[in-house]
Amino acid sequence: MNHGLVVAVLMSGILFGTPLLLAGLGELLAERSGVLNLGVEGMMLIGAVCGFWISQRMGTGSVAALAAAVVVAGAAGGLMALIHAFVSITLRANQIVSGLALTIFGGTVGLSSYFGSVGHLTGSAGHHKFASLNVLGLAHLPLVGPLLFGQNALVYISWLLVIALSFYLFRTKTGLHLRAVGESPRAADAMGLDVVRYRYLHTIAGGVLAGVAGGSYSLLISPSWNDGMTAGAGWIAIALVIFGFWNPKLVMIGAYLFGTVAGLGFTLQARGTSLPPEFFSSLPYLLTIVTLVLVSSVWSRRRLGAPAALGVPYRREEG
Amino acid sequence: MISLERRIDVTNRHAFIAPIASIVAAIVIITIVLLATGLDPVSTYRQIVNVSVGDPSSVSATLLNATPLLFTGLAAAVAFRMKAWNIGGEGQLYVGAIAAAGIGLLIGGSAPTIVTLLAMVAGGALVGGLWALLPAFLRVRFQTNEIITTLMLNYLGGLLLYYLIFDSRSYWRDTSSAGAVYPQGKTLDLAANWPTLTFGQIVIPFGLLLGVILAAALTVTLRMTKFGFRMRVIADSPVAGRYAGIGTGKMFLAVMVISGALAGLAGASQVGDFAHTLDPKALQAPTYGYTGIVVGALARYSPAGVVLMSLLLGALVHAGFELQGPHFPLGLVGTTEGVLLFCVIGAEFLHRYRVRVRLPRSPLAAEERERAAVSAAAPAPAKPASRYSVVRPEESEA
């Protein structure tokens, strides 16, 4: 492999890994509080369509349009997560079915597609796109230049989030409390923590990140709107949280690994290959299954990382 | 002050009220969505009713759309009952269709019609079941989360469909001059078309009859056989199941394979009853696999209920295709399905809990009420009957 190809593969890995990373960090927050949210795919699609909608309506000034789009994408994802929070925390419904409902509701033939048609967005090209920056003017350096200094704003946001969340989870009191809520809500409740409040806030924060992750499809990877454009990335993000043992840094490594595989097809096809496109498209899904099997066979023996109360509704009155 | 009390006696009355209340609630929410986006709800609903049950041909079309939903609804109902989270109905449907189309192309016209029909049914069920066996095995052997694996297999099944028709010169693809213009599947011999039953002008597809028979068979299995009893025990408590000597792993495999086979039948029926070719786009667009989950949940995972709910959602899906346009975005169907699903699991809450709203007045009155409540509660223990009655899986969910 020549130098140019290496950079191209790594760059596309970061590009395709960014939505996985953002959505994975969001799911990690929700799951750390004990709420399993299988609605990531639905929240991402809603974020993608709402962000794109705003960016198309905003005329000039890419920076303002993109900032507004990210805010709206995050808000839309957060509102979606609020539905899941209400149904699964307050109404104590089965979290698996509620999450599926969220994905069906927002999904490929759901509300995101509905917005796409009423907003006349389907198939139209985007006016705004996150551009690569040149941080400190170092983007021209060989190899590390583009990788570290020539990324776009969303990538830098995701990097800051990894650092911030690692600090939050493992170095702050609130983070400790959050983990307590996910491990043993009853003990946390006895300590005087508001379990319901922790779960609501972190589920919604997870939705905000999923919404922004969706926005990175419609505002970065392919600035446009097409029904179901995230193509299962939300589900891979959920799997990434398991691979990453509920740890932000490991989720980041996983996201870039999967992003590289997802981007590989595009990179190689652009350079000409005889393999069918389905081969490359199927790689992330196959890799998810294989990795999940490997991780779970180890995990089942060592019980690493998973919040003990994950997926279990908390009923205070039934002590 | 709002307080929640867990209901001790959950009556069957709620089982009927919950789905109806959910449907009413969903209609209210969808009306708001329609109004918010500037569409006329009354005319939308009138159109839906007209195109789904307005005349005999509409009814026939609704039945045709209900058929795959009946199978995928049963698939979800069987699996979810035992908390086997088979989200892979979509992929199992695709591979079932691939198998049935392959068999139809291979022996349609040369073998006797009845043999062709049975082989397509068996092939669809078998391959659908095998597609579900892989995640089931991984779960039993390695504790691999079946939600993620069944879902990944949906995407892989979809890519396989595309590969067979668009990017290869496979056995399924029409490679004659007509197929050269736009890639499409070979059309099955007429002898491989599944029979229909006609009532007046209403056409009932064979698949629908098969689905109703299977729903009846499943009801009997769940209620009256050892297998059904074991399923209920494991659904309530896997630990209790293990102590009772039930092979929980084997049961999980069996339930997943049955569920996959049912979803595979949905695909076979799509080929035999409807498309008569392998058409990737027509198989993927309606998302029958995911909609089956909504059907199953609305039916509260009862096979008999699935029959009714598949008709309801079949009407909705059919209307979605028929009315698709600026005044009826296709996304409305999925949105409605999602809202229905939320309402039905939300209604489950009212089914299990009694919500009491008490307004605190003077402290003295509150104290008095409390005293009254204590004295009322003391001599009334839980009904003894409830200790022995069989707890249904969906009600006992932890």
Side-chain angles (χ1 to χ4, degrees):
Chain A
M1 286 216 289
N2 60 42
H3 173 258
L5 186 61
V6 171
V7 172
V9 167
L10 292 177
M11 286 299 280
S12 85
I14 292 175
L15 180 68
F16 286 93
T18 298
L20 294 175
L21 175 56
L22 287 167
L25 291 175
E27 181 66 14
L28 183 149
L29 278 178
E31 291 195 10
R32 277 284 184 181
S33 78
V35 177
L36 175 68
N37 189 349
L38 296 182
V40 181
E41 183 81 358
M43 298 188 294
M44 281 177 77
L45 283 167
I46 291 289
V49 73
C50 292
F52 186 67
W53 201 347
I54 290 302
S55 77
Q56 292 297 85
R57 292 291 174 274
M58 304 264 294
T60 52
S62 259
V63 173
L66 288 170
V70 166
V71 169
V72 168
L79 278 176
M80 289 283 284
L82 179 62
I83 305 175
H84 178 68
F86 177 70
V87 173
S88 69
I89 301 170
T90 302
L91 298 187
R92 299 154 193 198
N94 183 306
Q95 295 184 1
I96 294 175
V97 185
S98 171
L100 285 173
L102 196 62
T103 286
I104 292 173
F105 174 66
T108 310
V109 296
L111 196 63
S112 64
S113 159
Y114 184 88
F115 285 164
S117 8
V118 295
H120 306 288
L121 303 171
T122 312
S124 56
H127 303 323
H128 306 287
K129 178 186 193 257
F130 275 98
S132 300
L133 305 174
N134 189 352
V135 178
L136 309 172
L138 295 173
H140 64 276
L141 291 177
L143 199 62
V144 293
L147 289 178
L148 293 180
F149 304 104
Q151 300 291 350
N152 59 74
L154 276 178
V155 173
Y156 292 118
I157 290 173
S158 71
W159 289 354
L160 288 176
L161 272 169
V162 172
I163 297 165
L165 288 185
S166 295
F167 184 78
Y168 172 64
L169 281 173
F170 304 113
R171 295 276 181 277
T172 67
K173 201 166 180 180
T174 326
L176 179 70
H177 290 165
L178 169 68
R179 288 185 288 142
V181 167
E183 294 293 340
S184 171
R186 193 159 302 284
D189 195 8
M191 275 169 66
L193 300 175
D194 190 339
V195 174
V196 169
R197 190 181 146 96
Y198 267 88
R199 291 194 163 177
Y200 258 89
L201 288 178
H202 289 90
T203 307
I204 293 168
V208 170
L209 290 184
V212 176
S216 55
Y217 272 93
S218 60
L219 303 166
L220 171 63
I221 292 177
S222 58
S224 61
W225 167 253
N226 289 299
D227 288 358
M229 72 188 304
T230 52
W235 294 101
I236 295 179
I238 295 169
L240 277 176
V241 180
I242 303 175
F243 305 155
F245 299 121
W246 290 265
N247 182 326
K249 288 175 200 128
L250 295 176
V251 168
M252 180 175 180
I253 294 170
Y256 287 150
L257 178 70
F258 273 78
T260 306
V261 173
L264 204 62
F266 291 91
T267 315
L268 292 183
Q269 268 172 327
R271 285 158 193 256
T273 164
S274 57
L275 287 161
E278 286 85 2
F279 173 76
F280 294 106
S281 310
S282 67
L283 284 179
Y285 310 121
L286 276 175
L287 186 67
T288 304
I289 295 178
V290 172
T291 318
L292 203 56
V293 171
L294 289 176
V295 168
S296 57
S297 60
V298 175
W299 188 71
S300 62
R301 271 180 267 134
R302 302 232 308 253
R303 279 258 148 213
L304 284 167
L310 181 60
V312 185
Y314 178 55
R315 303 185 178 92
R316 187 180 210 174
E317 68 275 11
E318 288 164 30
Chain B
M1 188 61 200
I2 298 169
S3 70
L4 301 172
E5 289 170 18
R6 192 148 193 170
R7 287 181 201 271
I8 294 166
D9 50 335
V10 179
T11 60
N12 271 333
R13 192 165 58 92
H14 295 106
F16 291 100
I17 295 172
I20 295 168
S22 314
I23 292 165
V24 172
I27 290 173
V28 172
I29 295 170
I30 292 299
T31 304
I32 297 168
V33 172
L34 288 170
L35 287 172
T37 45
L39 298 175
D40 178 6
V42 177
S43 105
T44 306
Y45 294 140
R46 191 180 296 139
Q47 282 178 311
I48 293 177
V49 172
N50 272 340
V51 299
S52 57
V53 291
D55 58 80
S57 70
S58 310
V59 174
S60 304
T62 293
L63 293 179
L64 199 58
N65 275 285
T67 304
L69 292 177
L70 176 51
F71 288 114
T72 54
L74 289 174
V78 169
F80 281 31
R81 220 168 218 276
M82 216 187 85
K83 303 197 180 76
W85 303 109
N86 177 18
I87 323 292
E90 199 70 32
Q92 290 141 17
L93 183 151
Y94 302 156
V95 295
I98 293 173
I103 292 167
L105 287 171
L106 194 66
I107 62 171
S110 54
T113 318
I114 181 78
V115 173
T116 310
L117 173 67
L118 291 176
M120 286 172 75
V121 168
L126 182 73
V127 176
L130 286 176
W131 200 253
L133 179 63
L134 176 68
F137 170 76
L138 294 176
R139 162 68 194 270
V140 171
R141 180 75 181 75
F142 301 109
Q143 255 109 77
T144 309
N145 182 328
E146 78 276 18
I147 301 173
I148 309 277
T149 48
T150 50
L151 220 123
M152 292 295 116
L153 284 168
N154 288 346
Y155 288 99
L156 291 172
L159 288 167
L160 180 61
L161 273 180
Y162 264 78
Y163 175 70
L164 291 178
I165 299 300
F166 292 102
D167 285 299
S168 70
R169 303 185 72 77
S170 74
Y171 182 67
W172 286 262
R173 182 169 171 179
D174 181 2
T175 44
S176 69
S177 54
V181 181
Y182 183 77
Q184 59 183 38
K186 278 189 229 166
T187 306
L188 271 65
D189 189 280
L190 276 177
N193 292 5
W194 290 9
T196 52
L197 197 68
T198 318
F199 273 112
Q201 289 165 282
I202 296 174
V203 183
I204 300 173
F206 171 78
L208 192 71
L209 297 175
L210 180 66
V212 172
I213 293 167
L214 287 175
L218 279 172
T219 307
V220 172
T221 308
L222 291 173
R223 291 218 181 129
M224 302 186 182
T225 65
K226 208 191 260 179
F227 182 80
F229 176 72
R230 286 176 171 171
M231 258 182 77
R232 287 207 303 255
V233 172
I234 296 175
D236 284 351
S237 161
V239 177
R242 270 198 296 280
Y243 277 119
I246 300 172
T248 48
K250 271 185 203 153
M251 284 297 292
F252 187 86
L253 288 175
V255 165
M256 284 289 282
V257 169
I258 292 170
S259 174
L262 286 163
L265 282 175
S269 144
Q270 277 292 287
V271 173
D273 283 321
F274 173 61
H276 310 304
T277 179
L278 191 66
D279 182 348
K281 292 200 167 151
L283 283 168
Q284 292 189 320
T287 62
Y288 288 124
Y290 297 116
T291 308
I293 296 170
V294 184
V295 172
L298 270 175
R300 306 188 72 241
Y301 312 128
S302 114
V306 167
V307 177
L308 280 177
M309 292 306 162
S310 67
L311 293 174
L312 183 78
L313 281 164
L316 178 68
V317 170
H318 168 60
F321 277 106
E322 202 66 17
L323 300 174
Q324 192 184 347
H327 296 290
F328 195 101
L330 191 59
L332 193 55
V333 174
T335 309
T336 311
E337 287 168 6
V339 170
L340 268 173
L341 193 47
F342 274 125
C343 290
V344 81
I345 58 175
E348 199 70 12
F349 173 76
L350 297 174
H351 181 88
R352 275 187 274 140
Y353 294 89
R354 181 173 287 134
V355 182
R356 291 249 162 113
V357 183
R358 279 177 296 187
L359 299 169
R361 283 176 222 131
S362 69
L364 194 72
E367 198 179 299
E368 214 158 80
R369 264 203 311 280
E370 219 159 76
R371 204 175 301 137
V374 168
S375 62
K383 280 186 204 156
S386 68
R387 279 176 58 200
Y388 301 105
S389 61
V390 176
V391 182
R392 292 161 53 113
E394 62 270 27
E395 291 155 5
S396 64
E397 197 178 78

